[in-house]
């Protein structure tokens, strides 16, 4: 009998450069020993630096993509990137609620991508408001510093229902990147990583997907966050260039 792998249902957009979105999610999840089930939320026009256009998938098509998988396969975790629209976020929230009827502890990892690294918009609606129905369903949210601020800070996120908040420090200054975890019980922990030179395309996707894949395997939260950050840092340290601008993380590592 063929071996089985835990699955991660992924809701994210398509990046033609192959550096972020679904392309990043699939490889990062595979590198953790899990299998990605990619559901497309939006098509984008972008390179490794800029986003020039976003076309959200119709909500009903999004629902049909996901149901074809949910109706047949066991889902062990969910990872959410850009929903593409407020209507799509509402559909994703409905699907998660449906799955949790059978699996109440289903882990949900949210990467709240509000804009590209250059500030390019990634949703046709207000990105902060679009995420509102997803927050109460989120097991762990992984915003960078500016995203956490735009969403009201870690206390506001936990008050809206996010179980755990991991605020990453890659957009900060100084020689050290500090990632801060605020857990469901009000505890805190931080990780420190040497800041790497250059800028990276899809680093947030990489980290959130690695967390989701480890949670899908039943790894405890602290260990999942620890291992996923180690993997992400190694992927950034081994990054390569395909054009001037942001580097591509080397995700083909264990």
């Amino acid at each position: 009998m063929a071996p089985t792998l835990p699955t991660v249902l992924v809701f994210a957009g398509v990046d033609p450069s192959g550096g972020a979105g679904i392309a990043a999610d699939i490889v990062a999840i595979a590198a953790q020993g899990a299998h990605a089930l990619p559901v497309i939320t939006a098509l984008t026009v972008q390179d490794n630096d800029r986003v020039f256009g976003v076309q959200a998938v119709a909500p009903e098509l999004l629902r049909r993509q996901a149901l074809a998988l949910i109706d047949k396969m066991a889902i062990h975790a969910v990872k959410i990137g850009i929903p593409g629209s407020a209507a799509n976020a509402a559909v994703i929230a409905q699907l998660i609620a449906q799955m949790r009827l059978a699996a109440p502890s289903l882990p949900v990892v949210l990467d709240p991508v509000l804009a590209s690294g250059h500030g390019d918009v990634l949703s046709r609606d207000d990105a902060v408001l679009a995420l509102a129905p997803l927050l109460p369903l989120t097991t762990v949210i992984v915003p960078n510093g500016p995203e956490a601020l735009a969403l009201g800070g870690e206390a506001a996120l936990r008050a809206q229902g996010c179980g755990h908040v991991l605020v990453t420090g890659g957009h900060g200054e100084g020689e050290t990147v500090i990632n801060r975890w605020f857990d469901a019980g009000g505890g805190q922990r931080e990780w420190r990583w040497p800041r790497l030179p250059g800028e990276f395309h899809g680093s947030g996707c990489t980290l959130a997907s690695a967390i989701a894949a480890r949670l899908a395997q039943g790894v405890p939260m602290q260990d999942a966050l620890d291992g996923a950050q180690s993997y992400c840092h190694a992927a950034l340290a081994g990054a390569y260039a395909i054009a001037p601008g942001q580097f591509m993380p080397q995700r083909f590592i264990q």
Side-chain angles (χ1 to χ4, degrees), residues 113-156:
V113 186
L114 304 183
S116 74
H118 283 275
D120 301 316
V121 174
L122 286 164
S123 175
R124 70 184 185 192
D125 302 308
D126 183 304
V128 174
L129 291 177
L131 292 178
L134 298 171
L135 298 180
L137 303 170
T138 296
T139 307
V140 54
I141 188 170
V142 192
N144 59 37
E147 290 165 346
L149 187 61
L151 291 165
E154 58 82 18

mmCIF file of all heavy atoms in Angstrom, residues 113-156:
data_model
loop_
_atom_site.group_PDB
_atom_site.id
_atom_site.type_symbol
_atom_site.label_atom_id
_atom_site.label_comp_id
_atom_site.label_asym_id
_atom_site.label_seq_id
_atom_site.Cartn_x
_atom_site.Cartn_y
_atom_site.Cartn_z
ATOM 1 N N VAL A 113 -1.407 38.917 4.157
ATOM 2 C CA VAL A 113 -0.680 39.727 3.176
ATOM 3 C C VAL A 113 -1.557 40.917 2.783
ATOM 4 O O VAL A 113 -2.516 40.764 2.026
ATOM 5 C CB VAL A 113 -0.315 38.894 1.936
ATOM 6 C CG1 VAL A 113 0.574 39.714 1.008
ATOM 7 C CG2 VAL A 113 0.386 37.605 2.338
ATOM 8 N N LEU A 114 -1.231 42.095 3.281
ATOM 9 C CA LEU A 114 -2.032 43.285 3.001
ATOM 10 C C LEU A 114 -1.546 44.013 1.765
ATOM 11 O O LEU A 114 -2.305 44.730 1.118
ATOM 12 C CB LEU A 114 -2.004 44.226 4.204
ATOM 13 C CG LEU A 114 -2.462 43.617 5.535
ATOM 14 C CD1 LEU A 114 -2.455 44.680 6.632
ATOM 15 C CD2 LEU A 114 -3.840 42.982 5.411
ATOM 16 N N ALA A 115 -0.265 43.860 1.432
ATOM 17 C CA ALA A 115 0.313 44.519 0.252
ATOM 18 C C ALA A 115 1.642 43.854 -0.052
ATOM 19 O O ALA A 115 2.186 43.114 0.771
ATOM 20 C CB ALA A 115 0.513 46.015 0.504
ATOM 21 N N SER A 116 2.171 44.114 -1.242
ATOM 22 C CA SER A 116 3.496 43.602 -1.580
ATOM 23 C C SER A 116 4.550 44.373 -0.797
ATOM 24 O O SER A 116 4.251 45.357 -0.115
ATOM 25 C CB SER A 116 3.758 43.764 -3.083
ATOM 26 O OG SER A 116 4.016 45.126 -3.381
ATOM 27 N N GLY A 117 5.789 43.923 -0.918
ATOM 28 C CA GLY A 117 6.875 44.612 -0.231
ATOM 29 C C GLY A 117 7.019 46.062 -0.636
ATOM 30 O O GLY A 117 7.508 46.894 0.131
ATOM 31 N N HIS A 118 6.561 46.396 -1.847
ATOM 32 C CA HIS A 118 6.613 47.773 -2.326
ATOM 33 C C HIS A 118 5.307 48.526 -2.054
ATOM 34 O O HIS A 118 5.146 49.658 -2.502
ATOM 35 C CB HIS A 118 6.920 47.804 -3.823
ATOM 36 C CG HIS A 118 8.361 47.540 -4.138
ATOM 37 N ND1 HIS A 118 9.325 48.524 -4.132
ATOM 38 C CD2 HIS A 118 9.009 46.393 -4.449
ATOM 39 C CE1 HIS A 118 10.493 47.996 -4.448
ATOM 40 N NE2 HIS A 118 10.340 46.706 -4.640
ATOM 41 N N GLY A 119 4.374 47.890 -1.361
ATOM 42 C CA GLY A 119 3.113 48.543 -1.046
ATOM 43 C C GLY A 119 2.040 48.373 -2.099
ATOM 44 O O GLY A 119 0.983 49.002 -2.012
ATOM 45 N N ASP A 120 2.250 47.505 -3.091
ATOM 46 C CA ASP A 120 1.248 47.280 -4.127
ATOM 47 C C ASP A 120 0.058 46.518 -3.550
ATOM 48 O O ASP A 120 0.214 45.543 -2.808
ATOM 49 C CB ASP A 120 1.843 46.488 -5.288
ATOM 50 C CG ASP A 120 3.034 47.208 -5.910
ATOM 51 O OD1 ASP A 120 2.928 48.431 -6.106
ATOM 52 O OD2 ASP A 120 4.055 46.552 -6.188
ATOM 53 N N VAL A 121 -1.144 46.939 -3.916
ATOM 54 C CA VAL A 121 -2.372 46.359 -3.376
ATOM 55 C C VAL A 121 -2.566 44.944 -3.911
ATOM 56 O O VAL A 121 -2.339 44.665 -5.080
ATOM 57 C CB VAL A 121 -3.580 47.245 -3.737
ATOM 58 C CG1 VAL A 121 -4.886 46.585 -3.306
ATOM 59 C CG2 VAL A 121 -3.443 48.613 -3.070
ATOM 60 N N LEU A 122 -3.040 44.045 -3.020
ATOM 61 C CA LEU A 122 -3.235 42.650 -3.400
ATOM 62 C C LEU A 122 -4.686 42.194 -3.249
ATOM 63 O O LEU A 122 -4.962 40.996 -3.272
ATOM 64 C CB LEU A 122 -2.331 41.753 -2.553
ATOM 65 C CG LEU A 122 -0.847 41.811 -2.928
ATOM 66 C CD1 LEU A 122 0.016 41.215 -1.834
ATOM 67 C CD2 LEU A 122 -0.609 41.083 -4.237
ATOM 68 N N SER A 123 -5.594 43.122 -3.077
ATOM 69 C CA SER A 123 -7.014 42.785 -2.987
ATOM 70 C C SER A 123 -7.815 43.919 -3.592
ATOM 71 O O SER A 123 -7.438 45.088 -3.485
ATOM 72 C CB SER A 123 -7.437 42.576 -1.525
ATOM 73 O OG SER A 123 -8.827 42.372 -1.419
ATOM 74 N N ARG A 124 -8.947 43.580 -4.223
ATOM 75 C CA ARG A 124 -9.776 44.627 -4.806
ATOM 76 C C ARG A 124 -10.621 45.332 -3.740
ATOM 77 O O ARG A 124 -11.251 46.341 -3.997
ATOM 78 C CB ARG A 124 -10.680 44.030 -5.887
ATOM 79 C CG ARG A 124 -11.796 43.134 -5.379
ATOM 80 C CD ARG A 124 -12.543 42.527 -6.548
ATOM 81 N NE ARG A 124 -13.690 41.756 -6.097
ATOM 82 C CZ ARG A 124 -14.382 40.930 -6.879
ATOM 83 N NH1 ARG A 124 -14.038 40.793 -8.140
ATOM 84 N NH2 ARG A 124 -15.406 40.255 -6.411
ATOM 85 N N ASP A 125 -10.646 44.764 -2.525
ATOM 86 C CA ASP A 125 -11.381 45.354 -1.408
ATOM 87 C C ASP A 125 -10.390 45.810 -0.346
ATOM 88 O O ASP A 125 -9.194 45.577 -0.455
ATOM 89 C CB ASP A 125 -12.359 44.333 -0.810
ATOM 90 C CG ASP A 125 -13.349 43.814 -1.837
ATOM 91 O OD1 ASP A 125 -13.983 44.649 -2.503
ATOM 92 O OD2 ASP A 125 -13.467 42.580 -1.979
ATOM 93 N N ASP A 126 -10.898 46.451 0.702
ATOM 94 C CA ASP A 126 -10.073 46.819 1.838
ATOM 95 C C ASP A 126 -9.507 45.540 2.447
ATOM 96 O O ASP A 126 -10.258 44.696 2.968
ATOM 97 C CB ASP A 126 -10.906 47.586 2.867
ATOM 98 C CG ASP A 126 -10.092 48.070 4.044
ATOM 99 O OD1 ASP A 126 -9.431 47.231 4.698
ATOM 100 O OD2 ASP A 126 -10.104 49.275 4.317
ATOM 101 N N ALA A 127 -8.201 45.359 2.376
ATOM 102 C CA ALA A 127 -7.588 44.095 2.774
ATOM 103 C C ALA A 127 -7.794 43.800 4.256
ATOM 104 O O ALA A 127 -7.982 42.640 4.643
ATOM 105 C CB ALA A 127 -6.101 44.107 2.434
ATOM 106 N N VAL A 128 -7.745 44.830 5.098
ATOM 107 C CA VAL A 128 -7.932 44.617 6.534
ATOM 108 C C VAL A 128 -9.352 44.152 6.824
ATOM 109 O O VAL A 128 -9.578 43.169 7.544
ATOM 110 C CB VAL A 128 -7.607 45.900 7.317
ATOM 111 C CG1 VAL A 128 -7.954 45.728 8.792
ATOM 112 C CG2 VAL A 128 -6.126 46.248 7.166
ATOM 113 N N LEU A 129 -10.345 44.821 6.245
ATOM 114 C CA LEU A 129 -11.731 44.429 6.467
ATOM 115 C C LEU A 129 -12.028 43.057 5.876
ATOM 116 O O LEU A 129 -12.815 42.287 6.432
ATOM 117 C CB LEU A 129 -12.672 45.477 5.861
ATOM 118 C CG LEU A 129 -12.694 46.843 6.555
ATOM 119 C CD1 LEU A 129 -13.602 47.809 5.807
ATOM 120 C CD2 LEU A 129 -13.128 46.704 8.012
ATOM 121 N N ALA A 130 -11.393 42.746 4.752
ATOM 122 C CA ALA A 130 -11.636 41.456 4.105
ATOM 123 C C ALA A 130 -11.220 40.287 4.997
ATOM 124 O O ALA A 130 -11.808 39.205 4.923
ATOM 125 C CB ALA A 130 -10.901 41.387 2.777
ATOM 126 N N LEU A 131 -10.205 40.506 5.842
ATOM 127 C CA LEU A 131 -9.722 39.423 6.693
ATOM 128 C C LEU A 131 -10.593 39.194 7.926
ATOM 129 O O LEU A 131 -10.440 38.169 8.601
ATOM 130 C CB LEU A 131 -8.290 39.718 7.153
ATOM 131 C CG LEU A 131 -7.205 39.700 6.073
ATOM 132 C CD1 LEU A 131 -5.864 40.056 6.685
ATOM 133 C CD2 LEU A 131 -7.127 38.352 5.375
ATOM 134 N N ALA A 132 -11.509 40.100 8.216
ATOM 135 C CA ALA A 132 -12.285 40.044 9.464
ATOM 136 C C ALA A 132 -12.969 38.703 9.717
ATOM 137 O O ALA A 132 -12.902 38.171 10.835
ATOM 138 C CB ALA A 132 -13.301 41.186 9.496
ATOM 139 N N PRO A 133 -13.648 38.087 8.727
ATOM 140 C CA PRO A 133 -14.314 36.811 9.028
ATOM 141 C C PRO A 133 -13.362 35.654 9.278
ATOM 142 O O PRO A 133 -13.760 34.610 9.818
ATOM 143 C CB PRO A 133 -15.167 36.558 7.774
ATOM 144 C CG PRO A 133 -14.491 37.312 6.690
ATOM 145 C CD PRO A 133 -13.934 38.539 7.354
ATOM 146 N N LEU A 134 -12.086 35.810 8.897
ATOM 147 C CA LEU A 134 -11.114 34.735 9.069
ATOM 148 C C LEU A 134 -10.437 34.761 10.436
ATOM 149 O O LEU A 134 -9.982 33.725 10.924
ATOM 150 C CB LEU A 134 -10.049 34.824 7.972
ATOM 151 C CG LEU A 134 -10.558 34.671 6.536
ATOM 152 C CD1 LEU A 134 -9.445 35.003 5.541
ATOM 153 C CD2 LEU A 134 -11.094 33.267 6.300
ATOM 154 N N LEU A 135 -10.364 35.926 11.053
ATOM 155 C CA LEU A 135 -9.614 36.057 12.302
ATOM 156 C C LEU A 135 -10.132 35.152 13.422
ATOM 157 O O LEU A 135 -9.327 34.503 14.109
ATOM 158 C CB LEU A 135 -9.575 37.517 12.752
ATOM 159 C CG LEU A 135 -8.878 38.490 11.792
ATOM 160 C CD1 LEU A 135 -8.906 39.901 12.363
ATOM 161 C CD2 LEU A 135 -7.438 38.058 11.514
ATOM 162 N N PRO A 136 -11.459 35.054 13.636
ATOM 163 C CA PRO A 136 -11.928 34.183 14.724
ATOM 164 C C PRO A 136 -11.656 32.703 14.489
ATOM 165 O O PRO A 136 -11.755 31.903 15.426
ATOM 166 C CB PRO A 136 -13.442 34.459 14.749
ATOM 167 C CG PRO A 136 -13.634 35.737 14.030
ATOM 168 C CD PRO A 136 -12.558 35.783 12.994
ATOM 169 N N LEU A 137 -11.329 32.338 13.259
ATOM 170 C CA LEU A 137 -11.086 30.943 12.911
ATOM 171 C C LEU A 137 -9.605 30.591 12.859
ATOM 172 O O LEU A 137 -9.245 29.444 12.610
ATOM 173 C CB LEU A 137 -11.720 30.638 11.542
ATOM 174 C CG LEU A 137 -13.223 30.903 11.435
ATOM 175 C CD1 LEU A 137 -13.669 30.791 9.989
ATOM 176 C CD2 LEU A 137 -13.999 29.929 12.321
ATOM 177 N N THR A 138 -8.752 31.568 13.112
ATOM 178 C CA THR A 138 -7.317 31.406 12.917
ATOM 179 C C THR A 138 -6.633 30.829 14.146
ATOM 180 O O THR A 138 -6.752 31.362 15.248
ATOM 181 C CB THR A 138 -6.678 32.758 12.558
ATOM 182 O OG1 THR A 138 -7.212 33.200 11.302
ATOM 183 C CG2 THR A 138 -5.183 32.655 12.454
ATOM 184 N N THR A 139 -5.896 29.741 13.929
ATOM 185 C CA THR A 139 -5.107 29.146 15.003
ATOM 186 C C THR A 139 -3.855 29.969 15.258
ATOM 187 O O THR A 139 -3.502 30.253 16.410
ATOM 188 C CB THR A 139 -4.706 27.709 14.637
ATOM 189 O OG1 THR A 139 -5.876 26.974 14.283
ATOM 190 C CG2 THR A 139 -3.991 27.033 15.790
ATOM 191 N N VAL A 140 -3.155 30.334 14.182
ATOM 192 C CA VAL A 140 -1.964 31.182 14.311
ATOM 193 C C VAL A 140 -1.912 32.127 13.109
ATOM 194 O O VAL A 140 -2.063 31.697 11.964
ATOM 195 C CB VAL A 140 -0.667 30.341 14.435
ATOM 196 C CG1 VAL A 140 -0.511 29.355 13.297
ATOM 197 C CG2 VAL A 140 0.557 31.240 14.521
ATOM 198 N N ILE A 141 -1.726 33.396 13.392
ATOM 199 C CA ILE A 141 -1.575 34.417 12.358
ATOM 200 C C ILE A 141 -0.124 34.863 12.360
ATOM 201 O O ILE A 141 0.501 34.976 13.420
ATOM 202 C CB ILE A 141 -2.544 35.605 12.595
ATOM 203 C CG1 ILE A 141 -2.514 36.568 11.406
ATOM 204 C CG2 ILE A 141 -2.267 36.317 13.907
ATOM 205 C CD1 ILE A 141 -3.612 37.633 11.459
ATOM 206 N N VAL A 142 0.417 35.106 11.155
ATOM 207 C CA VAL A 142 1.854 35.388 11.018
ATOM 208 C C VAL A 142 2.040 36.712 10.264
ATOM 209 O O VAL A 142 2.451 36.718 9.098
ATOM 210 C CB VAL A 142 2.572 34.232 10.281
ATOM 211 C CG1 VAL A 142 4.091 34.396 10.406
ATOM 212 C CG2 VAL A 142 2.149 32.879 10.817
ATOM 213 N N PRO A 143 1.773 37.844 10.919
ATOM 214 C CA PRO A 143 1.985 39.130 10.259
ATOM 215 C C PRO A 143 3.420 39.619 10.437
ATOM 216 O O PRO A 143 4.087 39.284 11.423
ATOM 217 C CB PRO A 143 1.016 40.056 11.004
ATOM 218 C CG PRO A 143 1.011 39.504 12.403
ATOM 219 C CD PRO A 143 1.185 37.999 12.254
ATOM 220 N N ASN A 144 3.890 40.419 9.478
ATOM 221 C CA ASN A 144 5.122 41.149 9.741
ATOM 222 C C ASN A 144 4.785 42.379 10.571
ATOM 223 O O ASN A 144 3.604 42.624 10.883
ATOM 224 C CB ASN A 144 5.851 41.496 8.440
ATOM 225 C CG ASN A 144 5.016 42.356 7.494
ATOM 226 O OD1 ASN A 144 4.265 43.236 7.928
ATOM 227 N ND2 ASN A 144 5.153 42.127 6.190
ATOM 228 N N GLY A 145 5.786 43.160 10.943
ATOM 229 C CA GLY A 145 5.544 44.302 11.817
ATOM 230 C C GLY A 145 4.515 45.280 11.287
ATOM 231 O O GLY A 145 3.548 45.621 11.988
ATOM 232 N N PRO A 146 4.653 45.771 10.040
ATOM 233 C CA PRO A 146 3.663 46.701 9.499
ATOM 234 C C PRO A 146 2.262 46.103 9.400
ATOM 235 O O PRO A 146 1.264 46.792 9.645
ATOM 236 C CB PRO A 146 4.224 47.034 8.113
ATOM 237 C CG PRO A 146 5.696 46.826 8.240
ATOM 238 C CD PRO A 146 5.848 45.658 9.168
ATOM 239 N N GLU A 147 2.163 44.817 9.060
ATOM 240 C CA GLU A 147 0.842 44.172 8.983
ATOM 241 C C GLU A 147 0.207 44.080 10.356
ATOM 242 O O GLU A 147 -0.995 44.337 10.520
ATOM 243 C CB GLU A 147 0.980 42.781 8.364
ATOM 244 C CG GLU A 147 1.317 42.809 6.876
ATOM 245 C CD GLU A 147 1.813 41.486 6.338
ATOM 246 O OE1 GLU A 147 2.169 40.591 7.144
ATOM 247 O OE2 GLU A 147 1.866 41.348 5.100
ATOM 248 N N ALA A 148 1.001 43.711 11.364
ATOM 249 C CA ALA A 148 0.470 43.632 12.724
ATOM 250 C C ALA A 148 -0.057 44.987 13.171
ATOM 251 O O ALA A 148 -1.127 45.085 13.800
ATOM 252 C CB ALA A 148 1.552 43.134 13.683
ATOM 253 N N LEU A 149 0.680 46.053 12.843
ATOM 254 C CA LEU A 149 0.254 47.398 13.206
ATOM 255 C C LEU A 149 -1.046 47.763 12.509
ATOM 256 O O LEU A 149 -1.977 48.307 13.125
ATOM 257 C CB LEU A 149 1.350 48.405 12.847
ATOM 258 C CG LEU A 149 1.156 49.850 13.308
ATOM 259 C CD1 LEU A 149 1.084 49.911 14.830
ATOM 260 C CD2 LEU A 149 2.284 50.734 12.799
ATOM 261 N N ALA A 150 -1.146 47.448 11.217
ATOM 262 C CA ALA A 150 -2.353 47.764 10.451
ATOM 263 C C ALA A 150 -3.571 47.002 10.964
ATOM 264 O O ALA A 150 -4.712 47.481 10.854
ATOM 265 C CB ALA A 150 -2.134 47.454 8.973
ATOM 266 N N LEU A 151 -3.328 45.833 11.549
ATOM 267 C CA LEU A 151 -4.422 45.007 12.061
ATOM 268 C C LEU A 151 -4.733 45.301 13.526
ATOM 269 O O LEU A 151 -5.567 44.630 14.128
ATOM 270 C CB LEU A 151 -4.074 43.530 11.884
ATOM 271 C CG LEU A 151 -4.049 43.039 10.424
ATOM 272 C CD1 LEU A 151 -3.349 41.692 10.333
ATOM 273 C CD2 LEU A 151 -5.456 42.962 9.853
ATOM 274 N N GLY A 152 -4.070 46.303 14.093
ATOM 275 C CA GLY A 152 -4.386 46.727 15.449
ATOM 276 C C GLY A 152 -3.467 46.205 16.532
ATOM 277 O O GLY A 152 -3.669 46.489 17.708
ATOM 278 N N GLY A 153 -2.453 45.419 16.160
ATOM 279 C CA GLY A 153 -1.519 44.892 17.146
ATOM 280 C C GLY A 153 -1.922 43.512 17.625
ATOM 281 O O GLY A 153 -3.036 43.040 17.398
ATOM 282 N N GLU A 154 -0.984 42.862 18.324
ATOM 283 C CA GLU A 154 -1.221 41.475 18.717
ATOM 284 C C GLU A 154 -2.388 41.336 19.684
ATOM 285 O O GLU A 154 -3.146 40.352 19.618
ATOM 286 C CB GLU A 154 0.054 40.868 19.305
ATOM 287 C CG GLU A 154 0.658 41.557 20.520
ATOM 288 C CD GLU A 154 -0.016 41.167 21.824
ATOM 289 O OE1 GLU A 154 -0.713 40.125 21.846
ATOM 290 O OE2 GLU A 154 0.151 41.910 22.797
ATOM 291 N N ALA A 155 -2.573 42.313 20.574
ATOM 292 C CA ALA A 155 -3.677 42.216 21.529
ATOM 293 C C ALA A 155 -5.022 42.266 20.813
ATOM 294 O O ALA A 155 -5.946 41.510 21.145
ATOM 295 C CB ALA A 155 -3.568 43.348 22.557
ATOM 296 N N ALA A 156 -5.127 43.137 19.821
ATOM 297 C CA ALA A 156 -6.369 43.225 19.057
ATOM 298 C C ALA A 156 -6.628 41.954 18.269
ATOM 299 O O ALA A 156 -7.779 41.502 18.155
ATOM 300 C CB ALA A 156 -6.307 44.424 18.107
#
